[in-house]
Amino acid sequence: GAEAVLLETLTLPTEIERTRCDQCGRFLPEKDGLCPFCIRKWDTLKRIIGFLAPYRWGVIILMLSSALITGLELIPPILVAHIIDDVLVPAGSPGSPGSEVVAPVGLGAVELLGTLVLGLLAVRLLSWGINLVNGFVRADLAAWTGRDIRSRLYGNLQFLPLRFYDRRKVGSLISRFLNDSDRLEMFLLFGVPYVLSNLLMLVGVLGLLLYLNWELTLYVLAPVPLIVAASLRQWRQLVRYWTRWHAKWSRLSTHLTESINGIRVVKAFAQERREEERFRTRNDDLRQASVSAERVWFIFYAVMNFLMSFGVFLVWYFGGRQILRETLTIGALMAFVSYIWQLYQPLQFFSQVNNFITRAFAGAERVFEVIDARPEPFTDPRAVPLPVVEGRVSFRGVAFGYDPAKPVLKEVDLEVKPGEMIGLVGRSGVGKTTLVNLVCRFYEANRGILEIDGIDIRRIRLEDLRRQIGMVAQESFLFNGSILENIRYGKPEAPLEEVFRAARAANAHEFIVQKPDGYDTLVGESGGRLSGGEKQRIAIARAILRDPRILILDEATSSVDTPTEKKLQEAIRRLVQGRTTFAIAHRLSTLRHADRLVVIDEGRIAEMGTHAELMAREGIFYKLVRTQQESSAVMAVGGGRGQPA
Ligand code: ADP
Ligand code: MG
């Protein structure tokens, strides 16, 4: 059973970039992205609200206080109506001024006025206090959920397979942290409570209006169907505009991250102006996108406002007529008018929220895309634990392509004995790095089986596998920090002596101690303050410190000069003792002491054997070596010409 399930999950879907939505056929804002029209809104809403689940009490307080504030807002118009009808109108009515009867009535009226105004004050004070609590809780919840969303994003981001990163832009990923998580947080803390309290307000006001005067209420409601219809139409339009806005934004931030990372290249080729020009175009695109989105919304908002005031005109006219017929009091009409605004306010809010929700939902979907992406199976309970790897690696008919339709490796069969050193040779771009990527399980083979110690690599516990592989990648990446921290990266608890030993073995100790700060020297962002050769030697030390059973050296010595490389070669020769090693080297002479050389060509193993055997064979390898020898001879001659004898 488990086998079958495992096999089922192993089949890879065809990975072709999608530019259109599968369901509706619309163009996607981002390749392989989500279709904003086909997202399930209800599910999304439920998931968004799920972020509040851990803070139940805060949410309850927030909701209760919002409801209370709403309820309190309904009281003042009633009090004002009483002030008008019971105090002001009798006082101002003809017949009463000048007469002696007024005095006692006036006294009672002043008291009543005082009480009513005090009532207004009390309501205001109470709602002010509750507002304060509400604001505090909201700020607190916002900070917590913001933190949670970012942690969830990062928590999964780290565990996602390289395939995920291959197909996404850094800028787009970063904007999920910066914009989308923020928007989600805003929605949760302003959107959700406001929707609820406005709903309450709507129901409350409508009830009161109907109670006060059902006839007038019908006039008030006259524009509502129009408002609802317009809002619904609005949704689609806004979705379109905001997704476009996001796509532009993501392009802009991609440009930004890229040009900052590549600032050296930009400068070397004096392309600052062109980059600036391109940035300006994109920046302008973004401006245009936000202008058109805001415009759509603003037109809608203006129309809505007009429709609503239309309801108020109707009420003044028909309410006024009722007063003339003495079926309505002035106070009641005043209260009615205030309630209308309170009724329209939530309606208006819903039309605003449309804009708000649309943006939040689009952001939420992008956040969920990262959270939902399937991580590498680090915690697969069915995985086979492999605490000690012996180091036997076998490829059986392995085929792989980053895009399965364009295979890089077509059929690789290779048996590597434990402790054997394999030199991988082939033209640039032939798939050497790809082959070792498969050993690390950075990618999975599309076809065929890759086994380590006789166990299918897909069944080995990923952590065990990676712990026993040491890799010096083609482009050695260092983290911003000290040299010591970088060497210790894979084994933070390693004692200093061990670090020194590793550094010596990597021929790095010497140059490190010559630096003013020694091992505490800061390497700068991605190691930018070190030379390529220094970076590589630190990367080698980092791999050595891990003491891996399987060692991968991908052009590990390409950035060092020949004398240093000679020394490094000795170090590596010591290092590879008893470890299965895959070494890729640009200078073929450095692979001389490999147990076996494997020549890859056209996705297959073309030749295999020792250095001497392959030279004798006079095949691809022989030709590669000859070309290199010739070019170095030319260089030697060229160098000699500079110094006339
Ligand atoms: P090399 O033998 O020089 O190490 P690689 O294994 O790096 O060659 O690359 C083999 C082929 O795969 C190249 O054509 C390269 O363009 C392509 N390739 C490498 N990495 C990726 C990737 N992450 N996504 C798509 N294609 C890739
Ligand atoms: Mg390579």
Side-chain angles (χ1 to χ4, degrees), residues 307-612:
L307 286 179
M308 286 172 191
S309 45
F310 209 72
V312 179
F313 301 151
L314 289 177
V315 167
W316 274 114
Y317 183 69
F318 290 101
R321 280 177 50 164
Q322 284 189 1
I323 290 178
L324 292 179
R325 275 189 271 123
E326 301 205 349
T327 48
L328 189 71
T329 62
I330 295 178
L333 182 65
M334 295 304 287
F336 210 89
V337 172
S338 336
Y339 282 135
I340 297 173
W341 285 116
Q342 286 191 2
L343 175 76
Y344 286 149
Q345 193 188 317
L347 281 176
Q348 209 173 40
F349 172 78
F350 284 124
S351 56
Q352 272 187 52
V353 109
N354 217 355
N355 188 10
F356 192 54
I357 288 183
T358 315
R359 294 179 78 167
F361 270 39
E365 281 296 331
R366 283 189 296 271
V367 166
F368 290 141
E369 192 199 352
V370 175
I371 291 178
D372 292 344
R374 208 165 59 167
E376 290 185 288
F378 266 100
T379 51
D380 190 346
R382 295 165 307 193
V384 181
L386 197 67
V388 183
V389 167
E390 218 183 307
R392 186 151 35 89
V393 181
S394 41
F395 291 81
R396 301 231 180 86
V398 169
F400 174 80
Y402 295 93
D403 174 355
K406 292 178 226 144
V408 176
L409 300 174
K410 290 180 188 135
E411 175 129 26
V412 175
D413 290 282
L414 179 64
E415 285 286 333
V416 183
K417 292 189 277 294
E420 195 178 14
M421 177 175 178
I422 297 288
L424 287 174
V425 183
R427 283 177 295 107
S428 156
V430 85
K432 305 179 294 289
T433 302
T434 307
L435 190 86
V436 295
N437 277 346
L438 294 180
V439 176
C440 293
R441 202 179 163 191
F442 285 158
Y443 299 89
E444 288 180 4
N446 302 347
R447 204 151 38 75
I449 294 175
L450 175 52
E451 286 179 346
I452 291 185
D453 290 0
I455 306 170
D456 190 322
I457 193 167
R458 290 168 292 195
R459 295 182 50 204
I460 301 174
R461 229 171 58 192
L462 199 56
E463 212 177 339
D464 289 344
L465 175 73
R466 300 253 171 93
R467 187 178 298 142
Q468 308 195 54
I469 293 181
M471 176 145 190
V472 181
Q474 196 160 5
E475 283 133 33
S476 29
F477 183 92
L478 300 186
F479 290 95
N480 194 0
S482 68
I483 290 180
L484 182 66
E485 281 163 352
N486 269 293
I487 297 181
R488 265 186 182 158
Y489 189 75
K491 200 176 173 188
E493 75 290 349
L496 274 182
E497 305 87 76
E498 225 176 293
V499 174
F500 294 160
R501 209 178 313 137
R504 274 201 197 91
N507 212 344
H509 185 76
E510 251 169 75
F511 90 77
I512 296 173
V513 293
Q514 271 168 17
K515 300 233 171 240
D517 291 329
Y519 277 83
D520 294 323
T521 306
L522 297 176
V523 302
E525 197 178 351
S526 51
R529 283 192 224 152
L530 300 180
S531 79
E534 288 171 339
K535 273 202 288 191
Q536 270 191 339
R537 281 178 277 171
I538 289 173
I540 294 173
R542 176 169 69 185
I544 294 174
L545 189 66
R546 284 272 273 192
D547 191 23
R549 298 297 310 147
I550 298 175
L551 185 66
I552 293 169
L553 303 167
D554 191 351
E555 317 228 351
T557 57
S558 58
S559 309
V560 295
D561 48 28
T562 317
T564 316
E565 187 175 17
K566 282 251 163 61
K567 275 194 219 159
L568 258 180
Q569 285 305 325
E570 292 161 26
I572 287 174
R573 204 170 323 173
R574 256 177 282 131
L575 183 65
V576 302
Q577 294 299 322
R579 295 175 218 272
T580 307
T581 306
F582 291 89
I584 304 171
H586 176 65
R587 258 165 285 179
L588 297 174
S589 52
T590 60
L591 294 177
R592 207 178 279 273
H593 56 272
D595 295 311
R596 236 182 333 156
L597 292 175
V598 170
V599 183
I600 301 173
D601 198 43
E602 296 188 343
R604 289 184 172 75
I605 293 180
E607 292 172 13
M608 193 153 62
T610 62
H611 196 275

Side-chain angles (χ1 to χ4, degrees), residues 17-18 48 149 197 216 238 246 254-255 300-301 365 391 406 409 481 490 492 515 519 533 574 589 635:
E17 278 187 346
R18 287 183 312 126
I48 294 175
I149 294 169
S197 61
L216 274 186
L238 275 175
H246 173 83
T254 302
H255 183 108
F300 173 74
Y301 185 79
E365 281 296 331
K406 292 178 226 144
L409 300 174
K515 300 233 171 240
Y519 277 83
R574 256 177 282 131
S589 52
M635 268 164 61

Side-chain angles (χ1 to χ4, degrees), residues 243-293:
T243 2
R244 194 178 299 162
W245 179 86
H246 173 83
K248 303 282 182 212
W249 176 254
S250 132
R251 255 180 59 190
L252 190 74
S253 48
T254 302
H255 183 108
L256 186 66
T257 42
E258 215 169 44
S259 59
I260 290 177
N261 283 335
I263 190 71
R264 284 186 176 73
V265 183
V266 173
K267 288 196 175 302
F269 288 89
Q271 294 295 315
E272 291 98 334
R273 280 219 195 292
R274 198 168 62 118
E275 289 295 331
E276 195 198 345
E277 205 48 56
R278 276 174 49 200
F279 186 85
R280 195 175 301 151
T281 327
R282 292 183 176 174
N283 202 5
D284 216 52
D285 280 355
L286 181 66
R287 175 196 62 82
Q288 225 155 39
S290 46
V291 163
S292 33

Side-chain angles (χ1 to χ4, degrees), residues 52-117:
L52 287 173
Y55 310 107
R56 217 157 272 138
W57 280 109
V59 174
I60 289 174
I61 295 174
L62 192 65
M63 295 299 165
L64 275 182
S65 55
S66 302
L68 267 176
I69 294 169
T70 309
L72 285 173
E73 273 176 48
L74 294 178
I75 298 175
I78 298 179
L79 294 178
V80 171
H82 277 291
I83 291 178
I84 293 173
D85 286 346
D86 300 345
V87 182
L88 302 182
V89 172
S93 61
S96 35
S99 92
E100 278 139 52
V101 206
V102 170
V105 173
L107 255 181
V110 170
E111 271 164 14
L112 185 57
L113 182 63
T115 322
L116 287 171
V117 172

